[in-house]
Amino acid sequence: MLEIKNLSKTFYPATPEEQKVFDNFSLTIEENVCTTILGPNGCGKSTLFNMISGSIINDEGSIQLGGLDLSKLPEEKRAKYIGKVNQDPSMGVSPSLNILENMSIALKKGKDFSLKSLLRNSNVDLIVKKLKELDLGLEDKLSTQVKFLSGGQRQSLSLLMATINHPDLLLLDEHTAALDPKTSKIVMDKTRDLISKEKITTLMITHNLRNAVEYSKRIIMLNKGKVVLDVLAKDISEEELNELYTKNILCDLRKAS
Ligand SMILES: Nc1ncnc2c1ncn2[C@@H]1O[C@H](COP(=O)(O)OP(=O)(O)OP(=O)(O)O)[C@@H](O)[C@H]1O
Ligand SMILES: [Mg+2]
């Protein structure tokens, strides 16, 4: 279980650019299922993920994962427990390394290794087995540099790399946003298969309301760093969500003007 308690974050404090993104924010996330985080641009979704993964340090509050206080660990230590896939298909992979090298690095994540020992001990059979499960033919391209893969192939590879060590938490930050609708569906289906087969606690940010309803168990909407909706996906439709979403943002714009 992920337990976020009394989290606060202000960027550029005590300057004219000061921006309070979270103020006393709390949230509990259930294990082994996918929870979607929705919300307008700039409402704090990625900041929340970055505070969980440790690339942004929260000012106050605690982030506990299965009882472990993440806020006390540096980013590289948290990486042992957290898998992350971002919107940019080149981010979760090393583009100039080949598929085998990328997968070998993913397998060793959180452990000390040298490049030599990495390649010597790389578990090719396991890597081939995992790639075959993706069903994209990547197992036949082990020595292909990842920069030559398509966006969808790279995101699928990133997803596999992020989950191969069975993380305690998987963070998906708009991981299908850069993909065409067909490829996006393929990657979302792979995501669902991996989460349900491996039972991985997942938080997914998306602006795709259909994916939110179809692929997650719970839907949370944020606005200005606060939870404005928290429902089970089975209890809401894409249309209702769209309506709420628009109202929420409109209401916000009205307040601002
Ligand atoms: N590292 C940072 N330094 C300064 N400000 C930041 C930083 N990261 C985020 N912000 C600010 O915090 C606010 C929330 O940004 P965030 O990226 O979390 O939004 P988001 O909900 O992920 O939006 P989007 O849907 O556009 O991805 C924004 O105003 C942004 O400018
Ligand atoms: Mg974002």
Side-chain angles (χ1 to χ4, degrees):
M1 191 164 68
L2 175 70
E3 264 191 299
I4 295 167
K5 278 195 196 145
N6 311 110
L7 205 65
S8 296
K9 179 70 198 177
T10 302
F11 289 113
Y12 313 117
T15 72
E17 285 92 52
E18 176 173 299
Q19 193 182 359
K20 194 176 271 189
V21 183
F22 288 98
D23 185 16
N24 217 12
F25 176 86
S26 298
L27 185 66
T28 300
I29 298 296
E30 194 189 335
E31 268 175 21
N32 304 339
V33 296
C34 179
T35 302
T36 286
I37 309 279
L38 300 175
N41 296 124
C43 73
K45 304 178 299 295
S46 297
T47 303
L48 177 65
F49 275 25
N50 290 334
M51 288 191 291
I52 296 170
S53 65
S55 58
I56 290 178
I57 303 300
N58 49 303
D59 301 332
E60 282 172 58
S62 67
I63 305 169
Q64 296 229 345
L65 184 61
L68 176 77
D69 191 351
L70 290 180
S71 26
K72 295 205 160 51
L73 297 177
E75 184 178 11
E76 63 274 13
K77 289 257 162 61
R78 296 189 206 188
K80 200 171 152 193
Y81 309 99
I82 299 173
K84 200 171 180 201
V85 185
N86 289 303
Q87 176 175 355
D88 182 350
S90 62
M91 265 180 80
V93 291
S94 301
S96 58
L97 298 182
N98 66 34
I99 292 181
L100 180 62
E101 289 162 341
N102 269 278
M103 287 291 288
S104 303
I105 290 171
L107 265 175
K108 302 281 178 185
K109 195 172 106 173
K111 299 166 196 154
D112 291 329
F113 61 85
S114 68
L115 196 59
K116 249 190 194 165
S117 73
L118 180 82
L119 292 173
R120 195 174 50 236
N121 301 323
S122 83
N123 195 334
V124 182
D125 291 346
L126 175 67
I127 289 171
V128 167
K129 179 175 166 277
K130 290 283 176 187
L131 287 170
K132 271 191 183 156
E133 285 168 10
L134 272 186
D135 206 17
L136 293 172
L138 296 183
E139 65 279 9
D140 300 324
K141 299 183 175 189
L142 289 183
S143 53
T144 300
Q145 278 178 290
V146 167
K147 65 181 169 198
F148 296 122
L149 300 181
S150 73
Q153 288 171 330
R154 273 196 236 180
Q155 282 304 68
S156 303
L157 185 66
S158 288
L159 189 64
L160 194 56
M161 288 167 62
T163 52
I164 197 158
N165 285 329
H166 197 97
D168 295 291
L169 180 67
L170 177 64
L171 300 175
L172 305 172
D173 191 348
E174 299 192 49
H175 74 308
T176 60
L179 308 178
D180 69 64
K182 190 173 162 225
T183 314
S184 166
K185 183 168 175 3
I186 293 173
V187 174
M188 277 311 307
D189 287 344
K190 302 283 173 217
T191 307
R192 174 160 58 194
D193 288 353
L194 273 169
I195 295 171
S196 65
K197 206 173 88 202
E198 307 272 331
K199 299 214 180 339
I200 300 174
T201 307
T202 304
L203 268 179
M204 176 174 79
I205 295 173
T206 183
H207 289 294
N208 185 319
L209 305 182
R210 179 170 299 175
N211 282 352
V213 171
E214 199 173 321
Y215 292 96
S216 49
K217 182 174 180 199
R218 177 182 171 201
I219 298 175
I220 291 166
M221 193 185 286
L222 297 185
N223 200 5
K224 296 195 167 174
K226 292 201 168 14
V227 173
V228 291
L229 177 79
D230 188 349
V231 284
L232 289 176
K234 70 175 177 53
D235 294 334
I236 198 156
S237 67
E238 186 191 344
E239 292 71 30
E240 286 171 307
L241 213 44
N242 192 32
E243 201 179 321
L244 277 172
Y245 206 89
T246 317
K247 270 189 196 157
N248 224 324
I249 297 168
L250 279 180
C251 150
D252 220 61
L253 287 175
R254 278 198 202 112
K255 264 191 233 154
S257 60

